[in-house]
């Protein structure tokens, strides 16, 4: 059971975790998510904090692929990365690029070592350019076929590992390797 699923009700009486077609979507806003990341970086009590961003494609894929569903259910946080999922969960939408930029601009998280692993789309390239201009995110842009991704991720000192391998590959990889990763926070974008 994930740490997030052990919560009960928020102040409005809604469960803090919404069930969106079997996926536990956390109802925290961006400020709370950033604070959760910071607390894990400060205390580091549980091994890496794993965060998955869930959009409509993730929901469909998880309901077709039981391994993907397990990876999402066992993540520490699943956030709504799409208006449809946010609407169903009655929570704010937190897109991966928004989370990345907010972390890079955060007064404390921005000072941490961030690394982006994998290929990524136009939105993430734009976010990465902005974050890199602040000097807070390095990237491992080329992921050769057959590469040992854990070794690549652990070879670069980082506190926050942003994994951009595409859905469901990134969630499956994070789930399978979370205990082998040195980063304290691992986020699938």
């Amino acid at each position: 059971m994930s740490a997030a699923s052990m919560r009960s009700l928020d102040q409005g009486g809604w469960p803090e975790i919404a069930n969106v077609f079997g996926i536990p979507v956390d109802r925290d806003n961006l400020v709370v998510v950033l604070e959760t990341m910071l607390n894990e970086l400060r205390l580091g009590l549980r091994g890496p904090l794993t965060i998955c961003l869930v959009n409509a494609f993730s929901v469909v894929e998880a309901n077709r692929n039981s391994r993907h569903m397990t990876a999402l259910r066992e993540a520490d946080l699943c956030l709504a990365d799409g208006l449809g999922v946010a609407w169903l969960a009655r929570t704010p939408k937190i897109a991966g690029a928004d989370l990345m930029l907010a972390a890079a601009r955060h007064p404390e998280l921005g000072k941490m070592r961030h690394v982006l692993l994998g290929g990524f789309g136009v939105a993430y390239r734009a976010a990465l350019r902005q974050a890199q201009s602040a000097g807070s995110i390095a990237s491992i842009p080329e992921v050769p076929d057959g590469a040992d991704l854990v070794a690549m991720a652990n070879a670069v000192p980082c506190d926050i590992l942003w994994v951009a391998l595409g859905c469901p590959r990134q969630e499956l990889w994070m789930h399978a390797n979370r205990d082998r990763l040195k980063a304290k926070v691992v986020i699938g974008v």
Side-chain angles (χ1 to χ4, degrees):
M1 180 179 287
S2 71
S5 65
M6 292 188 284
R7 299 183 195 157
S8 57
L9 300 177
D10 69 9
Q11 292 175 351
W14 289 99
E16 290 187 9
I17 305 295
N19 181 332
V20 178
F21 295 102
I23 300 168
V25 177
D26 197 284
R27 286 195 170 115
D28 288 336
N29 63 36
L30 184 58
V31 172
V32 173
V33 172
L34 294 171
E35 195 62 35
T36 301
M37 291 168 59
L38 188 58
N39 286 338
E40 182 61 31
L41 288 162
R42 286 179 182 152
L43 304 174
L45 299 176
R46 70 176 119 206
L49 172 73
T50 57
I51 301 174
C52 296
L53 294 146
V54 180
N55 60 21
F57 178 75
S58 305
V59 172
V60 171
E61 187 61 30
N63 279 279
R64 291 190 321 197
N65 179 337
S66 63
R67 289 178 44 233
H68 186 221
M69 180 66 81
T70 298
L72 293 175
R73 286 181 176 166
E74 293 182 4
D76 294 303
L77 294 174
C78 286
L79 305 174
D81 181 9
L83 290 175
V85 174
W87 183 80
L88 287 169
R90 296 189 167 119
T91 188
K93 172 184 163 254
I94 301 176
D98 296 337
L99 180 58
M100 185 184 288
L101 283 174
R105 292 177 177 159
H106 187 276
E108 292 180 67
L109 291 172
K111 295 176 186 173
M112 304 291 178
R113 297 168 298 182
H114 297 246
V115 172
L116 178 65
L117 173 69
F120 38 90
V122 174
Y124 297 106
R125 274 185 270 179
L128 178 63
R129 274 195 302 274
Q130 290 181 29
Q132 282 179 325
S133 70
S136 60
I137 296 182
S139 66
I140 305 172
E142 290 279 330
V143 178
D145 288 337
D148 182 353
L149 296 179
V150 174
M152 289 176 74
N154 288 337
V156 180
C158 75
D159 300 302
I160 302 172
L161 179 64
W162 302 88
V163 182
L165 301 174
C167 174
R169 184 179 176 205
Q170 64 201 19
E171 292 84 8
L172 295 172
W173 182 83
M174 290 167 36
H175 184 257
N177 296 295
R178 76 181 286 167
D179 294 331
R180 297 174 51 208
L181 295 168
K182 292 180 182 177
K184 293 180 182 175
V185 176
V186 180
I187 305 168
V189 290

